[in-house]
Amino acid sequence: MGGSLFKNHCVTFLISSILHFVIILPYHAQSSLIISSHNHKLIYNQCSNKTSPNHLSLLAKLFQDFISQSSKSKFFETIVYDNDKTAISGTYQCRKDLTTDECHSCVSKFPQLSRELCSDNNVIPSRIQLLGCYARYVEDGPEIENGPGIQILHKSCGEYKVAMNSGFEEMKSAAFSALESGVWGGKGFCEMKYESFRVMAECAVNLRGCDCGECVNNAVQICEEECGNSVSGDIYLDGCFVSYEYYGDRGNNNIGGPSFKDNGIGGRTPKLVAIVIGAAIISGVILCVFIRSFRKKRDDW
């Protein structure tokens, strides 16, 4: 009777342990990954042509101001001076869908990145674009107000392609049209799912109304021309960015390439699940052996 009850307790424990390791812990780990690393992904950077110590110290001061303000606001611009009246004008902006904590975490990455980037040229970066935020600065004076933004700063197209005449291009164009309308209604930001597409666009805060719409329209046209039937694409202009990703059937024969790549968020590989389950089972067995040993000693008493 006691042995049967003990076995039942062990089985119950093992089941609950497996569920905890496979379901609960990966969920928390996934949430942490989204907040702490995904938004920190480096998209691109631009290097300055200045190497003077004054600019290094001013940049450090600028980033300190950025980090302080990022706990309160997703956008900030300022000018910092040194004793020689040398000035740097800088701006940071976090993506509108980020929380304040996520914005602060993203902006906090700038000081370290500024020390690492452009080191081969012995200069410092003048723009750092992460997935969730960006920082830029202009030396010796305020930034020049940009127009609608047509200069391409960065472009990236997915290596996998969708077969022509599959309806992909029509669906993508419709998704982009919905995105452009959404940017107007979203006051410079829009993220949406349209059929099998996820699309996103955002404008710099200093671009409003028609200028923002024109910038996004430019980015969409460039994306259409440059990325064609790629399953994903990102276009960053000097005043806005556009991003899209196609979530078609992974078994669809219309999609070329060996396989879809996991974006690192969500999804658990069989190997990972096997390791986690194995760890849970081993932990459960050890605990059950310990309990059995304890019960035996107690009976001997």
Side-chain angles (χ1 to χ4, degrees):
M1 179 83 175
S4 177
L5 181 61
F6 170 77
K7 289 180 180 179
N8 290 337
H9 281 308
C10 277
V11 170
T12 302
F13 171 79
L14 288 175
I15 292 174
S16 62
S17 296
I18 292 171
L19 290 175
H20 178 75
F21 275 89
V22 175
I23 299 176
I24 298 175
L25 286 185
Y27 172 79
H28 288 300
Q30 176 180 324
S31 299
S32 175
L33 174 66
I34 294 173
I35 294 173
S36 63
S37 74
H38 190 55
N39 291 323
H40 303 163
K41 178 184 177 182
L42 177 66
I43 304 299
Y44 69 91
N45 68 278
Q46 294 176 323
C47 297
S48 170
N49 57 1
K50 296 293 183 69
T51 59
S52 71
N54 285 350
H55 288 88
L56 289 174
S57 60
L58 280 177
L59 187 61
K61 183 179 179 181
L62 180 69
F63 286 148
Q64 288 177 358
D65 290 347
F66 282 178
I67 293 172
S68 175
Q69 290 296 321
S70 64
S71 297
K72 310 169 188 176
S73 175
K74 298 178 185 179
F75 172 80
F76 178 69
E77 57 184 350
T78 187
I79 301 176
V80 294
Y81 300 88
D82 63 11
N83 294 331
D84 296 327
K85 303 301 181 182
T86 303
I88 288 181
S89 173
T91 302
Y92 80 75
Q93 182 173 331
C94 291
R95 230 176 46 224
K96 193 172 182 180
D97 60 325
L98 267 61
T99 66
T100 304
D101 287 343
E102 290 170 337
C103 178
H104 177 72
S105 177
C106 191
V107 172
S108 297
K109 295 296 179 182
F110 292 145
Q112 177 183 350
L113 289 171
S114 71
R115 294 189 294 268
E116 297 174 352
L117 299 173
C118 307
S119 58
D120 291 342
N121 299 322
N122 197 31
V123 295
I124 53 181
S126 60
R127 182 170 182 133
I128 302 172
Q129 177 74 59
L130 305 183
L131 188 62
C133 61
Y134 74 83
R136 63 178 177 178
Y137 74 90
V138 174
E139 300 141 315
D140 300 324
E143 295 186 81
I144 299 174
E145 291 292 331
N146 293 321
I150 57 174
Q151 179 185 358
I152 300 176
L153 302 180
H154 173 80
K155 64 179 179 181
S156 175
C157 302
E159 61 179 303
Y160 299 105
K161 308 287 185 179
V162 177
M164 301 296 290
N165 302 319
S166 62
F168 170 83
E169 294 184 348
E170 291 79 4
M171 189 189 305
K172 185 176 72 169
S173 295
F176 278 151
S177 296
L179 179 67
E180 291 186 58
S181 299
V183 168
W184 283 91
K187 297 181 179 179
F189 174 81
C190 181
E191 179 186 16
M192 66 169 62
K193 289 183 179 179
Y194 185 94
E195 296 191 19
S196 297
F197 280 85
R198 173 185 170 274
V199 289
M200 181 188 298
E202 184 171 34
C203 292
V205 169
N206 62 343
L207 286 188
R208 301 180 183 276
C210 294
D211 286 342
C212 174
E214 186 175 347
C215 184
V216 171
N217 181 261
N218 289 334
V220 164
Q221 291 182 26
I222 294 170
C223 197
E224 293 272 32
E225 295 170 2
E226 298 289 337
C227 294
N229 60 336
S230 294
V231 297
S232 63
D234 303 283
I235 301 295
Y236 285 79
L237 304 185
D238 54 355
C240 64
F241 79 88
V242 164
S243 173
Y244 80 90
E245 189 165 2
Y246 176 64
Y247 291 100
D249 182 3
R250 297 193 180 200
N252 192 337
N253 293 327
N254 290 326
I255 299 175
S259 64
F260 268 77
K261 289 184 178 179
D262 196 312
N263 62 6
I265 300 177
R268 301 161 200 159
T269 65
K271 182 178 180 181
L272 176 61
V273 172
I275 292 172
V276 170
I277 292 176
I281 292 175
I282 292 172
S283 300
V285 170
I286 292 173
L287 184 58
C288 282
V289 170
F290 174 79
I291 294 173
R292 174 176 289 178
S293 176
F294 177 79
R295 286 172 61 87
K296 183 177 181 181
K297 288 182 179 179
R298 189 180 65 177
D299 292 341
D300 291 341
W301 294 343

